[in-house]
Amino acid sequence: MITVYTTSANVAERQFAPPSLAISTVIFALRPSESSGRPTLWLPLVRRIREPFKGLWALPGGPLTHAESLQDAASRNLRETTGLAPSYLEQLYAFGGVHRSPTQRVVSIVYWALVQPTEAALADESENVRWFRADKLGSLAFDHNGIVDYALWRLRNKLAYGSIAYHFLGEYFTLAQVREVYEAVLDTQLDPANFRRQIKSTPEIEETGEYLQGGKHRPPRLYRFTGRPGLDPDNRSTP
Amino acid sequence: MITVYTTSANVAERQFAPPSLAISTVIFALRPSESSGRPTLWLPLVRRIREPFKGLWALPGGPLTHAESLQDAASRNLRETTGLAPSYLEQLYAFGGVHRSPTQRVVSIVYWALVQPTEAALADESENVRWFRADKLGSLAFDHNGIVDYALWRLRNKLAYGSIAYHFLGEYFTLAQVREVYEAVLDTQLDPANFRRQIKSTPEIEETGEYLQGGKHRPPRLYRFTGRPGLDPDNRSTP
DNA sequence: ATCAGTTTTAGTCAACTTGACTATAACTAA
DNA sequence: TTAGTTATAGTCAAGTTGACTAAAACTGAT
């Protein structure tokens, strides 16, 4: 038996085509809030230029090409749509509900990424690519609101547990900046003294001899993160 | 432009076909070890009856049909190959390295499951379906050794954190049985007194009035787990 | 009946961690 | 010089953890 699928298949034919596979990315960066000036969570979205959901905002994404691993596809897509190179990239989840898209069956393998503020400032922004505050997104295309919610949950989880916060920051940072990352992501206030005691007790934080000058107060010491992010189980792109 | 893919495509044609999508499952159950009699981790594998890796053992898996969500596909597959109904089922990871299979590009969305010992005892076993100790697997087909390692890591992680252990057990259990789950999965000895203090301090454990009779020692009280497992972000199979 | 063997269960104690809070240090701007 | 600001160290009580002791409650053998 020979089964034939075409890219311009009608609905009846699509019933038998394999589900199509897409890669999307939730990209987080810290940017100063317009109101308070404190850092808050933002993410870039792209406007859909075709049906379904034409005109609505959606997560950046695209197809998986033949020669690249899932992770490579995610970081290529991220670069192509926003010009960004992430400092952290991890698989979030494979979404495969039957009715995610009204026109065809799509399985989306979603990654989430963190970018540093210097990177984020360089990001391309245009009519069809814009940054939004993570807590003020409005209604997105497909199930993308749910996906962002889940990515936020994972980010908060990972922050509470591990050593993810430093990927929002540059190579050198003050402990107050680390605290601001936690405060922005978890949306709470933290006691500065207790917070620094905890952070300093983790072995992956290294004191440098440098201080950050220029504030109108006692200059804070600069630190460095020496840990490596845990490798994903599947990212062996070039064997 | 019309692109045509056939199920009997040759290698050159497959280059342009979309990567195919498969669902696999890592199924864990506790069974008594032959040597010590204590519970240990086991999982069922199926023997491959065709190339590639013909004759080797592999994770149970199969295709994704059109009308079912990823999770539904995983539990259907699990039922078809082993006859099992899992008490816990969660997505593990989407594996999509370029060279996972020598003959074609395959993206595998892998689930992991826990089954209760009563279930596990009923599981079909045959020439081509057999249970193995998780720490004595030998060399499996594809990248399945790596997948099992990752599933083990996730299981241990989840155990240390959350309320997963009870899905290995029946509705009623003693605290010593819970401890045996931890000891089997983490492969350590735990102090009985300290362990029970910790478990009893979690609010989801409920004392029953019943005791387990029949041991040659003081009869232990039976407990019940009242928490619900966290829902996966995508398992809305029937909307 | 009693005793040894077993596991269950409660409790103690020191070491460590956490959250709330106080106080001093080191800078800038007026 | 002083007020304002953040950085940084330290204290203290409450809570948690790990190592350990001991009593309770059953069975099976003497």
Side-chain angles (χ1 to χ4, degrees), chain A residues 9-237:
Chain A
N10 62 30
V11 174
E13 282 163 348
R14 266 194 229 104
Q15 275 290 92
F16 305 101
S20 62
L21 197 55
I23 308 285
S24 298
T25 319
V26 183
I27 304 156
F28 292 116
L30 252 40
R31 312 186 129 197
S33 136
E34 321 91 323
S35 45
S36 72
R38 293 157 162 277
T40 38
L41 265 185
W42 293 68
L43 49 89
L45 297 174
V46 301
R47 198 200 300 270
R48 284 192 58 82
I49 54 172
R50 60 179 68 180
E51 296 292 350
F53 300 107
K54 184 173 173 180
L56 283 192
W57 295 96
L59 294 171
L64 172 69
T65 74
H66 232 83
E68 62 193 353
S69 70
L70 302 177
Q71 173 137 354
D72 289 347
S75 70
R76 175 183 54 80
N77 225 289
L78 201 150
R79 188 177 61 249
E80 285 176 2
T81 53
T82 63
L84 292 169
S87 70
Y88 183 84
L89 182 62
E90 186 190 309
Q91 193 180 108
L92 178 65
Y93 198 79
F95 293 85
V98 181
H99 300 289
R100 297 183 58 240
S101 164
T103 53
Q104 57 175 154
R105 176 79 192 276
V106 179
V107 172
S108 289
I109 298 179
V110 180
Y111 277 73
W112 63 289
L114 306 185
V115 296
Q116 305 186 349
T118 49
E119 281 274 357
L122 299 171
D124 303 337
E125 211 159 359
S126 67
E127 177 65 22
N128 292 324
V129 178
R130 200 147 80 204
W131 287 78
F132 292 83
R133 278 190 57 155
D135 53 354
K136 291 176 183 172
L137 290 183
S139 189
L140 306 184
F142 304 103
D143 53 354
H144 290 188
N145 283 295
I147 294 179
V148 171
D149 287 346
Y150 184 56
L152 269 170
W153 178 84
R154 264 278 268 285
L155 169 61
R156 295 193 171 117
N157 230 32
K158 206 103 186 180
L159 194 73
Y161 219 138
S163 50
I164 198 76
Y166 312 102
H167 298 283
F168 275 118
L169 302 168
E171 187 182 357
Y172 297 92
F173 48 81
T174 69
L175 296 186
Q177 286 172 328
V178 180
R179 178 166 49 84
E180 283 178 326
V181 174
Y182 276 75
E183 291 180 334
V185 173
L186 302 178
D187 195 27
T188 38
Q189 297 275 101
L190 297 168
D191 180 86
N194 290 339
F195 183 80
R196 61 180 292 114
R197 182 180 53 194
Q198 268 185 250
I199 295 294
K200 288 190 71 171
S201 79
T202 74
E204 294 163 320
I205 296 300
E206 192 177 83
E207 257 186 13
T208 72
E210 321 274 322
Y211 294 82
L212 180 64
Q213 306 292 341
K216 42 181 96 173
H217 50 76
R218 173 171 175 177
R221 186 187 285 273
L222 288 169
Y223 292 79
R224 191 196 282 115
F225 177 66
T226 59
R228 290 279 81 223
L231 276 192
D232 263 328
D234 189 43
N235 61 6
R236 300 131 194 163
S237 47

